[in-house]
Amino acid sequence: RKMLTQSQYEDYKFVCRLDRIKTFYAAIKSICFSDFGTLQASEDGLLITVEQGKSIQATIFIAPAFFAEFHIQDSQSFSIKINVLAECLSLFGLADCGIKMLYKGEGSPLLILLEPHDDEQVSTECAIKTTHVEEPMEYELDSNSASLNTIFMRGPDMSNIFHELDKAAEEYEFTISPMKPHFKIATLGVMQAESSIEVAKSSDMIILFNCRATTVAQYKSQQIRLTNKALQVATKVAIKTDASGLLELHFMMQSDDQEEMYVRFFITPLLKAS
């Protein structure tokens, strides 16, 4: 196997290595809902962001501690086709691989080296074309907002709730309140009967319930459903919103050695007809 020597590293602005690809691959697959993804590498770690219009954004956050190796010179950012990255990561199917990513700087491709654990003789290299980065939109909930509400739930519980909701519904309405029903998701649509699921703050499903004021907002169901792949592999889910209706969802994903990475979604609410 060709391993890079320290002197060869100096040619690269960004190098990282993961011993196991599984969690990273699941995270990438969970955000493949648009053509391009933006990679931003800095001393704080790696961010990979995908957007669709101005209504939904997903970002994978991976701290340097998650990597077996992490080297960065200055901050680097570039765009790649996110589906191409997913395809490269799946070249060895479900075999467990180590992965190395290398980037020389503006205009250079992102190099991916995959090395299956069960075969010392085989490795593969992909070069993914990079393009100039368009800065992702900046969304933020005000942490001092008088209406900031936060719920932590176990991933499988949240997954079950979405599984029970009407798949044909056009809109989902989220209500978070200090009073009962505490947390409610209702389906709305022209043709469907409305259905809803309520979770009391005392429920075993809830890990943390922190509600400052009642918030109610509606979202396009197809955008909520774009979080499905992340939800299916999440161990924990955080739900945050405030009076603006901006929905922030965090999906924690744990690797076999218990290191965590997470995928954050921002979904903008539907405007209410006044």
Side-chain angles (χ1 to χ4, degrees), residues 179-227:
M179 278 84 70
K180 282 187 171 175
H182 300 134
F183 179 41
K184 175 178 159 184
I185 303 177
T187 59
L188 311 169
V190 180
M191 302 300 288
Q192 300 86 18
E194 292 184 13
S195 65
S196 66
I197 291 180
E198 297 180 2
V199 183
K201 66 180 180 183
S202 57
S203 161
D204 288 347
M205 296 187 205
I206 304 272
I207 299 168
L208 173 119
F209 186 88
N210 194 334
C211 179
R212 296 179 184 175
T214 299
T215 54
V216 183
Q218 289 96 30
Y219 308 91
K220 266 192 187 156
S221 63
Q222 69 200 60
Q223 289 176 353
I224 297 286
R225 283 199 293 271
L226 287 178
T227 68

Side-chain angles (χ1 to χ4, degrees), residues 1 9-10 18 39 51 70 94 177-178 180 233 242 266 273:
R1 279 188 208 201
Y9 268 162
E10 286 162 17
L18 286 168
L39 277 75
E51 297 181 310
F70 192 84
L94 298 171
S177 173
K180 282 187 171 175
V233 290
D242 65 9
F266 278 115

Side-chain angles (χ1 to χ4, degrees), residues 64-75:
F66 195 88
F67 295 93
E69 277 180 69
F70 192 84
H71 306 279
I72 182 84
Q73 288 179 38
D74 312 317
S75 292

